[in-house]
């Protein structure tokens, strides 16, 4: 227990009017770890990421990043401390070029940076995600896969130590998904801790060291991919519906 | 149009504007001074609307604030230059104070709040009475200069202020603040999680916007020598400036200036002939602008020149 978590989420509760989106959720993320955050639609995954990046202030609970309490800080302060994220619904700056989009992160997250260093960081991030050739394009000229990777490049340009990915593979084909899996592994090798929110189970199994399962805002499982996929709670709550449906479908086809 | 090209065009316009008073009569001198004045207001809108995407419909509030600060200062024997500096800085401070709460609001609430602010200022001036003259209006000291000289000086003051405003916009377009504003215009949350302090950026933008608008109002007060709330806080000032900014191209460097020129000249040449249907024509003009040049003249020029150079490439390729 000598290593301290890079992120601790403690007893976080978020309510939207009558809806409890996140209920008393707690988990830790260790440095260098890739954590999968899964759960059915509306389970509160995005809301939890919004809490970590401070876009939403939880009604209850606390957060610590690298041992320091960050509850109640502003989003830009959190970003400058080293927490970056992507959005499930991509949010490019549509009037800026791809390069300029990425430069924003480098420009505002690292103080005392000259123009050339900002450019170098942006070039680096674009190269990582394979968008170098599109540097001068506008976001509207990108495919969905490219837009998802632009989200990642924008996050990477802030030089984060913790990266939150919200469904960066949704809507992509197998080749594109494999490419992003490779990218996540590479980024993780560079030392980033990552939280991956994803419905694509194949990807979750491929990249995650550990998985947290949410259901109706509550954490119902927390463990290695094997533990979680064998957990009867999880099977009935989440995988269950799908397994049952898929099995019914294959039985019908047979 | 690239910033470089816009700046070159601006330099040519500036030289023309500098020699113009030598060749035009007093009527056109007044028209051109008005063009510069309203172009400054349009540039002010450009900063908060064009760059940040915050629709400050009530920006005329700072025109009035600037006018009254200059008026009260001049009546207190403050020298002209200092009075204009006070009008400029004072307007920025007022925007900073009100921006602090108002710019925490996102999007459209701000547009309405800015109009409410304009109305509130009118009430304040009316009820203050005393140094502001209240409902009676405020007479300013009359310059002992001969009119020909005086009006030329005011022409050059407006031109100078417009030049500075345009240089500020040019600098802004390549600066950190400019990036922050254009980023938050497209996605405020996106900008925040990338490290942009959006509230601070918006407040700074509104302060710059107010400074420009207040400066124009200050010089206008000196020019008119009599101000009252109806004309100083006329929401029509923001509305006209809005049309000019749209016409020229918002978020560009010289768009608002070009828009102001085209609009005022058209207005002067055409509408003065049809004063009884002025508003009808104004409305039709606005609709035509939105349909025909939705992105403004500057974007139109960029597109045309891009097409020209593409055609040239094609010809070269064929040859
Ligand atoms: N801004 C909001 N206002 C009101 N309710 C919200 C808001 N954001 C989320 N919710 C509700 O909170 C619950 C959790 O939503 P959230 O978006 O976090 O789910 P999710 O796990 O990300 O789902 P998905 O897999 O569909 O993305 C849902 O019931 C949702 O309708
Ligand atoms: Mg979600």
């Amino acid at each position: 227990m000598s290593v301290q978590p890079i992120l601790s989420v403690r007893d976080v509760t978020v309510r939207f009017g009558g809806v409890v989106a996140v209920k008393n959720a707690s988990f830790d993320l260790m440095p260098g770890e890739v954590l999968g955050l899964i759960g059915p639609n509306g389970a509160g995954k995005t809301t939890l990421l919004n809490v970590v990046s401070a876009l939403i202030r939880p009604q209850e609970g606390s957060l610590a990043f690298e041992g320091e309490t960050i509850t109640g800080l502003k989003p830009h302060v959190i970003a400058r401390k080293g927490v970056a994220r992507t959005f499930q619904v991509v949010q490019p700056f549509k009037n800026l070029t791809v390069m300029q989009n990425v430069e924003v992160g480098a420009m505002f997250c690292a103080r005392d940076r000259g123009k050339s260093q900002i450019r170098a960081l942006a070039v680096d991030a674009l190269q990582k995600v394979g968008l170098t050739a599109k540097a001068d394009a506008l976001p509207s000229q990108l495919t969905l896969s490219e837009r998802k990777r632009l989200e990642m490049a924008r996050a990477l340009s802030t030089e984060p130590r913790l990266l939150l990915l919200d469904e960066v593979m949704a809507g992509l084909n197998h080749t594109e998904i494999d490419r992003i899996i490779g990218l996540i592994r590479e980024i993780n090798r560079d030392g980033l801790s990552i939280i991956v929110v994803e419905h694509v189970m194949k990807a979750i199994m491929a990249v995650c060291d550990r998985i947290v399962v949410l259901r109706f805002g509550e954490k119902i499982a927390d463990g290695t991919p094997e533990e979680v996929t064998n957990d009867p709670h999880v099977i009935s709550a989440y995988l269950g519906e799908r397994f049952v449906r898929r099995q019914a479908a294959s039985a019908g086809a047979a | 149009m690239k910033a470089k090209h816009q700046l070159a065009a601006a330099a040519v316009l500036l030289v023309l504007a500098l020699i113009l008073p030598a060749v035009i009569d007093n009527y056109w001198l007044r028209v051109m001074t008005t063009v510069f004045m309203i172009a400054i207001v349009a540039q002010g809108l450009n900063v908060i609307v064009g760059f940040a995407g915050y629709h400050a419909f009530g920006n005329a509030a700072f025109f009035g604030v600037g006018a009254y600060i200059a008026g009260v200062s001049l009546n207190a024997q403050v020298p002209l230059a200092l009075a204009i500096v006070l009008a400029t800085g004072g307007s920025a401070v007022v925007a900073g104070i009100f921006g602090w709460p108002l710019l925490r609001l996102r999007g459209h609430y701000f547009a309405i709040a800015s109009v409410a602010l304009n109305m509130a200022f009118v009430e304040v001036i009316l009820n203050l009475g005393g140094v502001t003259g209240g409902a009676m209006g405020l007479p300013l000291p009359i310059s002992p200069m001969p009119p020909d000289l005086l009006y030329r000086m005011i022409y050059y003051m407006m031109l100078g202020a417009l030049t500075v405003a345009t240089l500020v916009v040019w600098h802004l377009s390549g600066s950190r603040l400019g990036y922050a504003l254009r980023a938050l215009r497209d996605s405020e949350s996106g900008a925040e999680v990338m490290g942009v302090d959006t509230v601070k950026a918006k407040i700074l933008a509104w302060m710059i916007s107010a400074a420009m608008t207040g400066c124009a109002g200050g010089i206008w007060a000196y020019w008119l020598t009599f101000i009252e709330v109806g004309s100083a806080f006329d929401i029509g000032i923001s509305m006209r400036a809005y049309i000019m900014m749209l016409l020229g191209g918002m978020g560009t460097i010289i768009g608002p200036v070009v828009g102001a020129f085209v609009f005022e000249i058209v207005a002067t040449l055409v509408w003065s002939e049809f004063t009884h249907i002025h508003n009808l024509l104004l409305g039709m003009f606005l609709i035509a602008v939105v349909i025909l040049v939705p992105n403004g003249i500057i974007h139109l020029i960029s597109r045309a020149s891009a097409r020209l150079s593409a055609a040239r490439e094609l010809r070269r390729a064929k040859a």
Side-chain angles (χ1 to χ4, degrees), chain A:
Chain A
M1 288 311 308
S2 57
V3 184
Q4 72 166 357
I6 185 164
L7 177 74
S8 308
V9 174
R10 282 287 160 277
D11 306 318
V12 165
T13 297
V14 178
R15 280 181 290 264
F16 295 112
V19 180
V20 184
V22 178
K23 200 178 195 172
N24 231 6
S26 298
F27 66 86
D28 282 339
L29 179 72
M30 294 320 236
E33 201 175 22
V34 179
L35 175 75
L37 187 56
I38 66 172
N41 290 113
K45 307 178 294 292
T46 298
T47 304
L48 204 45
L49 294 194
N50 284 343
V51 168
V52 176
S53 52
L55 291 177
I56 289 177
R57 194 172 287 201
Q59 272 81 11
E60 286 157 39
S62 65
L63 297 141
F65 178 65
E66 296 180 330
E68 180 193 354
T69 304
I70 55 167
T71 327
L73 295 182
K74 294 265 162 51
H76 69 272
V77 178
I78 306 268
R80 289 175 190 177
K81 282 188 185 295
V83 181
R85 69 167 293 168
T86 67
F87 288 96
Q88 182 173 354
V89 178
V90 295
Q91 303 216 0
F93 306 131
K94 58 182 193 296
N95 289 294
L96 300 185
T97 65
V98 166
M99 173 65 83
Q100 290 171 331
N101 261 273
V102 179
E103 278 177 335
V104 172
M107 201 176 280
F108 290 93
C109 281
R111 298 242 143 220
D112 339 304
R113 268 242 168 76
K115 271 208 161 86
S116 60
Q117 284 155 303
I118 289 170
R119 178 51 66 96
L121 260 176
V123 166
D124 200 42
L126 282 180
Q127 202 233 321
K128 262 204 186 100
V129 305
L131 280 179
T132 310
K134 300 282 174 137
D136 294 324
L138 287 172
S140 57
Q141 297 164 315
L142 302 183
T143 64
L144 178 65
S145 160
E146 288 168 339
R147 280 179 215 196
K148 295 272 184 179
R149 281 182 279 135
L150 173 58
E151 279 289 307
M152 292 183 72
R154 296 197 328 163
L156 289 175
S157 72
T158 66
E159 294 197 293
R161 287 186 298 286
L162 170 60
L163 179 61
L164 316 173
L165 299 175
D166 197 353
E167 302 205 16
V168 283
M169 303 182 213
L172 305 191
N173 65 34
H174 286 293
T175 328
E176 291 162 349
I177 287 175
D178 286 342
R179 175 176 202 162
I180 298 213
I181 290 175
L183 184 57
I184 292 175
R185 286 196 175 129
E186 185 191 331
I187 294 168
N188 180 235
R189 262 201 307 278
D190 292 346
L192 262 79
S193 313
I194 306 175
I195 297 182
V196 184
V197 169
E198 200 57 65
H199 284 296
V200 182
M201 279 312 287
K202 165 189 141 188
I204 288 286
M205 301 307 279
V207 298
C208 295
D209 303 311
R210 201 155 60 83
I211 296 177
V212 164
V213 186
L214 285 182
R215 181 182 174 235
F216 299 134
E218 268 182 294
K219 183 170 96 171
I220 58 165
D222 183 340
T224 64
E226 291 71 34
E227 287 165 6
V228 165
T229 45
N230 291 324
D231 186 325
H233 286 107
V234 177
I235 294 171
S236 71
Y238 179 67
L239 300 169
E241 306 161 23
R242 294 194 173 197
F243 276 166
V244 170
R245 232 181 293 132
R246 201 178 305 154
Q247 261 151 0
S250 60

